[in-house]
Amino acid sequence: MSKTPASPKGKPAPKSQPRKATAKPEGAAPEGDRIAKVLSRAGVASRREAERMIAEGRVSVNGKKIDSPALNVTAKDRISIDGQPLPEAEAPRMWLYYKPIGLVTSNSDEKGRKTIFDELPEDMPRVMTVGRLDLNSEGLLLLTNDGGIKRKLELPATGWLRRYRVRINGRPKDEDFAPLRKGLVIEGERFQPMTVSLDRQQGANAWLTVGLREGKNREIRRAMEDIGFSVNRLLRVSYGPFQLGNLKPGEVEELRARVVRDQLGLAEEEEIPAARPTRARGGKPAGKPMGKPAGKPVGKQAAQPSGKQGNPGRTAGKAPPARGTRPDQRGGGKRPAGKNPRR
C-alpha cells in the first residue's frame, strides 16, 4: 500500500491551495462600451440624445435607473428604455435623401413646422440625419440607422468635402470671393477656408460652386452676406463620396452594403440586410425592391433643381462622379415620399 511521502525532517506536506483569480492590472480599461455609445449603435438615439435620456432617468441597467452616462456595459447587462428592453442593434445602413425646401431637419419642431421625418416613406426604419440642412436649403442629406456612422461622418477630423450649388443675387467678380478662400471670422466665429468657383451669370443672379469641410449653422449664407451678397438658392450636391445624382425632391435611395463598407471602412461581417420591398403611400407593397441590378450606370450628373428659379447647369463644367466608387456600387431604388408614423 503506497503512502504519501513525508516532507523533509518529518514535517507534513503542505496542503494545496486553491488558485486565486488573477487581479486586473491597475489602470486597465473597463470591459464593454459606454452606455450612450451602446444606445447610439442600437439606433435609439445619437450619443448626445442618449445622454439626455439618461439624465432624464429613462434608462435602466439591470433593473436600476441610471443618471450618468459614465457607465460601461457589456452584452450580459440588461438595458431598458422607458421600461422597454433595448432592441438588438441592426446592421449599419445608409440612405441618400433629397431634402426639399420647407422641411426642418429635426425630430420635432417647437413651431409646429413639418420635419423630414413627417415625409419619409412609412416603411423606413428609425434613422438619424448626418448633419443638417436649414429650412430654406435643399439637396443631399445622408440618413443612417447607426449612431456610430453618424458620429464618424460629422466629426471635423473626418474632413469630408461638402459641395453646394449656390445662387446669389448680384454680378460678382472672381476676386470678390478671396475672403472666403482665406477664411473668415464673423461675430467672433471662425469659418474655415472654402473653395469657391464662379460658374456663370444668369440675369441678375450668379451661380457658384462652393465646397467646405465643416458644417456650421448657415455657414454659406452668413459668409456670402459678409462679403455683400445674398443667397436665394442653396443646393447640396455631394457629401464626401456620396452624390445627389438624379434624385428628385423627397426621394430616398438606400446605398448598397459594399459601398457603405468600402467608404466607411466597416468590417466585412457587418453586412447590410437584404432590401425589403418599398411601400406606397397607402401601405401596399410597391413590388419593386430597394436596389437596382448591378452593372447599370448611375446618373451622369448631379440633379438639377426644378422650378422657375433657373437651372444651375453642370457643376464646374464637369459631371459629378458616380455615387460610391463604381457604377455598380450604387444602392437602392427610388422611393416615393410618404408619412412615417414611426417618428
Side-chain angles (χ1 to χ4, degrees), residues 106-261:
S106 62
N107 291 306
S108 60
D109 183 65
E110 66 278 1
K111 297 181 181 179
R113 296 171 295 185
K114 280 190 174 183
T115 75
I116 65 164
F117 299 106
D118 295 324
E119 298 298 319
L120 289 176
E122 62 181 17
D123 61 340
M124 285 277 289
R126 187 194 183 283
V127 294
M128 296 167 277
T129 64
V130 176
R132 292 172 178 264
L133 284 173
D134 64 44
L135 181 71
N136 295 316
S137 298
E138 61 184 303
L140 180 63
L141 190 63
L142 300 180
L143 307 175
T144 179
N145 67 335
D146 189 287
I149 288 180
K150 170 183 169 70
R151 179 176 174 80
K152 182 174 183 178
L153 294 179
E154 289 179 344
L155 283 174
T158 306
W160 275 5
L161 182 69
R162 290 90 150 164
R163 192 159 52 87
Y164 300 79
R165 298 283 287 130
V166 182
R167 190 177 67 186
I168 61 174
N169 183 253
R171 296 180 177 276
K173 297 179 180 179
D174 187 71
E175 53 266 29
D176 293 334
F177 305 111
L180 277 65
R181 295 170 180 142
K182 293 178 181 178
L184 295 171
V185 177
I186 302 176
E187 297 178 352
E189 188 173 9
R190 175 73 179 176
F191 287 7
Q192 296 299 319
M194 306 177 185
T195 61
V196 185
S197 63
L198 177 58
D199 297 333
R200 64 192 178 96
Q201 189 73 35
Q202 185 181 46
N205 298 313
W207 280 100
L208 318 172
T209 298
V210 178
L212 50 86
R213 296 185 182 274
E214 60 180 356
K216 293 181 179 177
N217 184 36
R218 301 182 71 252
E219 183 169 357
I220 293 177
R221 295 180 188 275
R222 293 167 63 191
M224 290 297 171
E225 289 172 3
D226 192 68
I227 62 172
F229 298 100
S230 61
V231 174
N232 51 40
R233 195 167 189 188
L234 190 150
L235 168 74
R236 182 154 68 192
V237 295
S238 68
Y239 192 113
F242 305 111
Q243 305 286 327
L244 181 65
N246 293 320
L247 284 179
K248 299 297 186 297
E251 289 184 339
V252 183
E253 180 176 291
E254 184 171 9
L255 291 168
R256 290 188 178 181
R258 183 185 300 174
V259 176
V260 178
R261 286 199 310 267

Side-chain angles (χ1 to χ4, degrees), residues 77-111:
D77 293 305
R78 293 177 291 106
I79 305 171
S80 60
I81 303 171
D82 297 329
Q84 300 298 319
L86 180 70
E88 292 185 9
E90 296 182 355
R93 301 166 71 184
M94 284 185 63
W95 291 261
L96 309 178
Y97 171 58
Y98 190 137
K99 176 201 169 295
I101 294 174
L103 296 182
V104 180
T105 310
S106 62
N107 291 306
S108 60
D109 183 65
E110 66 278 1
K111 297 181 181 179

